[in-house]
Amino acid sequence: MGKGRLEAFSDGVIAIIITIMVLEIKVPHGEDFAALQPLLPVFLSYVLSFIYVGIYWNNHHHLLHAAKNVSGGALWANLHLLFWLSLIPFVTGWMGENHWQPLPVALYGFVLLMAGLAYYMLVRVLLRIHSADSALAKALGKDVKGRLSLVFYALAIALAYVHVGLAIGLYACVAAMWLIPDRRIERHLQESQG
Amino acid sequence: MGKGRLEAFSDGVIAIIITIMVLEIKVPHGEDFAALQPLLPVFLSYVLSFIYVGIYWNNHHHLLHAAKNVSGGALWANLHLLFWLSLIPFVTGWMGENHWQPLPVALYGFVLLMAGLAYYMLVRVLLRIHSADSALAKALGKDVKGRLSLVFYALAIALAYVHVGLAIGLYACVAAMWLIPDRRIERHLQESQG
Amino acid sequence: MGKGRLEAFSDGVIAIIITIMVLEIKVPHGEDFAALQPLLPVFLSYVLSFIYVGIYWNNHHHLLHAAKNVSGGALWANLHLLFWLSLIPFVTGWMGENHWQPLPVALYGFVLLMAGLAYYMLVRVLLRIHSADSALAKALGKDVKGRLSLVFYALAIALAYVHVGLAIGLYACVAAMWLIPDRRIERHLQESQG
Amino acid sequence: MGKGRLEAFSDGVIAIIITIMVLEIKVPHGEDFAALQPLLPVFLSYVLSFIYVGIYWNNHHHLLHAAKNVSGGALWANLHLLFWLSLIPFVTGWMGENHWQPLPVALYGFVLLMAGLAYYMLVRVLLRIHSADSALAKALGKDVKGRLSLVFYALAIALAYVHVGLAIGLYACVAAMWLIPDRRIERHLQESQG
């Protein structure tokens, strides 16, 4: 089964998710800095979520690029991932609207955790239809970063009830960990072509 | 006539439908579990509709994949299908907002029924421009699942006035019936290539 | 200059326009038929606009399919068309919300007229970079339908102040005129390939 | 790394940005010209932003067309550009809603300035992976227009506090400067193919 339309559909959904989040930043009625001020947590939440969705698009791009083909199960694993990503605008809006209260911050982490698990499941489904010496299998390796992210999300959910700053700091750390370019797949692809 | 742009446009519309539905889950003002509670039926309705739209995308993907080409009539049959799918966010929102009252639940089933009929018509239009021994014709076979779904939707509409739980249970059953991977088209395509 | 990305971008914008219109059908708070009733003009306006945007997508698809390449001017002529199409959700919402009052109905016609003119300009720009015996030039011929539509839109704007029913009837007539499959481009393409 | 999916994703995001801006033009409750009048500044802001986003899509199209390939860094530089573009609906809505008050007008310029800088960074990242005699490098040349735009945006931000008309006039001038077809990349591409 070709992967073209899976990529196109995922691009569409992720493009919409990353863009409609901005609709949660409601246009204020005032016209001065005071009117903007209550929007600051909403804006910062938007920045964080934009980076996260961007990371997912980036990783998804690399993953599908390395995959040779997809199965019917991969279509559903992909939809499962898109489901959790589609909840990011809601949890982002709730977290921002409430100026980072414990429950919204924990729920944000929960959605990230579920999206991370869904991504992990998509990877497993794809690996099942690729041989152990495929570009995909080599590129992913042990996926330390992916597993570590899940641990950090779980930790952040618990920490949200201690101090929300700790939880948000952890979310930012995980994002930073992914922003550092992940050369694994690129390098292996280059080697296999070299 | 090429099918590329038909697929691309349908992907775009379905991607938007599946994503804007999340906008119906309005960000609550409160910050605790009590604020989330009234959102539960909205969320569950969203999950059901996400699965339905996902099923349509999946089936549409397989259908167009098996089709060799499209006609002008197929473009319109496709737009007709997209019209009914585009109403899913509205009926989902209404069903959730009213915590599953009979009329909204029945209207939800009506839109599913019309979308099912529109899909059936699209299949007929495509079969008309494919020979009886084409991959498409073989793959679709008698389309028992498609016909059964229509009966179930009609039944659910009537049952909504007896007990909404029965109607929603039927919607869930139909979704489950489709979630079980439909190997028909995939298998026939493989055989025809083998 | 390739036309692939122009098609992809237009597909994206038209897909969003046709889908976000449904957001104007606000989920009512009530749960019975009485709650749905005030939505009827909104819904009928949505149906009309869905058909119009569908017609534009269809014609755009055929036009670009027949075109061999595009110019910088064509990119802007295309954006100009998309601009007027992007206003359709607004005028649709206003027309429906006010239950078909003269000014909203006339403004709806004005946007259709401007979109029609923009389409006409796009056709001219494309014809300028195609020879007189190209598939595009032959396929478009005298474009009687396109010119007639503009006259009907202008007429409907005036009639909206006599009786809105006449204006809306004309809009429906123009839509019906386009729904009758336009075999011109298809036929000429087939002939030129035959 | 192929550039196809980067183009597709950017097309999707830009298509959504340009289209959801229209949602800021809220459907008024009245039905006469008086009801439309307060929407005029919102509408004019929408026109200006539509042109700006259109210019970005156009330039992005030409830029990626001239580029032979992209790097991991280019993916992130592109997301950075999309981030600032995604804020345009918000600042457009705020500027229009407040009938062009100094701060909203200055913030609009700030977002344009940041988007301009992000575009400039994307160009640098792409030039780094292309040789000095590549079509891309030749086509971009000294990029006088790009640098000039940044100066004008900065100037307009300051002028917004003197008179908003001056700032908006400058935004319109920059837009006009870009609307004049930029034959640079097209010409160089043609020469390199000739």
Side-chain angles (χ1 to χ4, degrees), chain B residues 52 105-106 108-114 116-117 144-160 163-178 180:
Chain B
Y52 263 111
V105 169
Y108 186 83
F110 177 73
V111 168
L112 287 184
L113 177 63
M114 295 308 290
L117 279 172
V144 181
K145 240 171 170 177
R147 288 157 195 255
L148 213 59
S149 303
L150 300 182
V151 175
F152 281 179
Y153 295 145
L155 201 63
I157 293 171
L159 285 174
H163 193 290
V164 288
L166 294 173
I168 291 169
L170 260 183
Y171 299 149
C173 283
V174 175
M177 182 176 82
W178 284 103
I180 298 161

Side-chain angles (χ1 to χ4, degrees), chain A residues 124-174:
Chain A
R124 291 301 112 186
V125 171
L126 285 174
L127 283 177
R128 229 186 299 155
I129 55 171
H130 287 80
S131 65
D133 62 339
S134 63
L136 185 76
K138 280 180 187 161
L140 286 161
K142 289 192 176 165
D143 195 19
V144 181
K145 241 170 167 177
R147 289 158 194 253
L148 213 59
S149 303
L150 300 181
V151 175
F152 280 179
Y153 295 145
L155 201 63
I157 295 170
L159 285 175
Y161 286 95
V162 180
H163 193 289
V164 287
L166 294 173
I168 291 170
L170 259 182
Y171 299 150
C173 282
V174 175

Side-chain angles (χ1 to χ4, degrees), chain A residues 7 11 14-16 18-19 22-23 25-33 36 39 43 46-47 50-51 54-55 57-58 60-62 64 179 186, chain D residues 1-2 5-6 8-9 12-13 16-17 20 23-24 72-73 75-76 79-80 82-84 86-87 89-90 93-94 97-98 101 103-104 107 161:
Chain A
E7 289 184 318
D11 278 356
I14 298 175
I16 300 158
I18 214 171
T19 321
V22 88
L23 295 176
I25 315 182
K26 308 284 184 205
V27 172
H29 289 287
E31 65 204 48
D32 48 9
F33 272 110
L36 283 185
L39 290 180
F43 177 71
Y46 174 63
V47 173
F50 192 97
I51 292 171
I55 288 166
W57 178 75
N58 227 326
H60 193 270
H61 174 101
H62 287 307
L64 267 293
L179 274 171
E186 287 182 57
Chain D
M1 199 191 300
R5 239 188 119 179
L6 177 70
F9 182 70
V13 172
I16 300 158
I17 290 170
I20 61 169
L23 296 176
E24 294 296 341
L75 294 189
W76 281 109
L79 272 166
H80 180 232
L82 294 178
F83 173 75
W84 290 107
S86 81
L87 293 177
F90 171 75
W94 201 37
E97 166 109 358
N98 286 289
Q101 293 293 317
L103 180 62
L107 193 69
Y161 286 96

Side-chain angles (χ1 to χ4, degrees), chain D residues 52 55-56 59 109 112-113 116-117 143-156 170-171 173-175 177-178:
Chain D
Y52 262 112
I55 288 166
Y56 269 104
N59 289 350
L112 287 184
L113 177 63
L117 280 171
D143 195 18
V144 181
K145 240 170 169 178
R147 288 158 195 253
L148 213 58
S149 304
L150 300 181
V151 175
F152 281 0
Y153 295 144
L155 201 63
L170 259 182
Y171 299 150
C173 282
V174 175
M177 182 175 83
W178 284 103

Side-chain angles (χ1 to χ4, degrees), chain A:
Chain A
M1 199 190 300
K3 63 185 180 177
R5 240 189 117 178
L6 178 70
E7 289 184 318
F9 183 70
S10 307
D11 278 356
V13 172
I14 298 175
I16 300 158
I17 291 170
I18 214 171
T19 321
I20 61 169
M21 278 195 302
V22 88
L23 295 176
E24 295 295 342
I25 315 182
K26 308 284 184 205
V27 172
H29 289 287
E31 65 204 48
D32 48 9
F33 272 110
L36 283 185
Q37 217 177 315
L39 290 180
L40 191 69
V42 181
F43 177 71
L44 291 179
S45 306
Y46 174 63
V47 173
L48 186 64
S49 293
F50 192 97
I51 292 171
Y52 262 111
V53 178
I55 288 166
Y56 269 103
W57 178 75
N58 227 326
N59 289 351
H60 193 270
H61 174 101
H62 287 307
L63 181 69
L64 267 293
H65 189 69
K68 269 206 288 260
N69 53 329
V70 296
S71 59
L75 294 189
W76 282 109
N78 191 60
L79 271 166
H80 181 232
L81 169 62
L82 294 178
F83 173 75
W84 290 107
L85 293 181
S86 81
L87 292 177
I88 289 184
F90 172 76
V91 288
T92 304
W94 200 38
M95 187 168 75
E97 166 110 358
N98 286 288
H99 294 208
W100 297 319
Q101 294 293 318
L103 180 61
V105 169
L107 193 70
Y108 186 84
F110 176 73
V111 169
L112 287 183
L113 177 63
M114 294 309 288
L117 280 171
Y119 189 82
Y120 181 81
M121 284 163 66
L122 174 61
V123 166
R124 291 301 112 186
V125 171
L126 285 174
L127 283 177
R128 229 186 299 155
I129 55 171
H130 287 80
S131 65
D133 62 339
S134 63
L136 185 76
K138 280 180 187 161
L140 286 161
K142 289 192 176 165
D143 195 19
V144 181
K145 241 170 167 177
R147 289 158 194 253
L148 213 59
S149 303
L150 300 181
V151 175
F152 280 179
Y153 295 145
L155 201 63
I157 295 170
L159 285 175
Y161 286 95
V162 180
H163 193 289
V164 287
L166 294 173
I168 291 170
L170 259 182
Y171 299 150
C173 282
V174 175
M177 181 175 83
W178 285 103
L179 274 171
I180 298 162
D182 189 347
R183 306 267 183 232
R184 282 180 308 170
I185 292 179
E186 287 182 57
R187 192 180 57 232
H188 280 283
L189 276 174
Q190 275 177 329
E191 280 171 15
S192 68
Q193 286 163 0

Side-chain angles (χ1 to χ4, degrees), chain C residues 48-104:
Chain C
L48 185 65
S49 293
F50 192 97
I51 292 171
Y52 263 110
V53 178
I55 288 167
Y56 269 103
W57 178 74
N58 228 327
N59 290 350
H60 193 270
H61 174 100
H62 287 307
L63 181 70
L64 267 294
H65 189 68
K68 267 206 289 264
N69 53 328
V70 295
S71 59
L75 294 188
W76 282 108
N78 191 59
L79 272 166
H80 180 232
L81 169 63
L82 295 177
F83 173 75
W84 290 106
L85 294 180
S86 80
L87 293 177
I88 288 183
F90 171 75
V91 289
T92 304
W94 199 38
M95 188 168 75
E97 167 109 359
N98 287 289
H99 294 207
W100 297 319
Q101 294 294 317
L103 180 62

Side-chain angles (χ1 to χ4, degrees), chain B residues 61-122:
Chain B
H61 174 100
H62 286 307
L63 181 69
L64 268 292
H65 189 68
K68 268 207 289 262
N69 52 329
V70 295
S71 59
L75 294 190
W76 282 108
N78 192 59
L79 271 166
H80 181 231
L81 170 62
L82 295 178
F83 173 76
W84 290 107
L85 293 181
S86 81
L87 293 177
I88 289 184
F90 172 76
V91 288
T92 304
W94 200 38
M95 187 168 75
E97 167 109 358
N98 286 289
H99 294 206
W100 296 319
Q101 293 294 316
L103 180 61
V105 169
L107 193 69
Y108 186 83
F110 177 73
V111 168
L112 287 184
L113 177 63
M114 295 308 290
L117 279 172
Y119 189 82
Y120 181 80
M121 284 163 65
L122 174 61

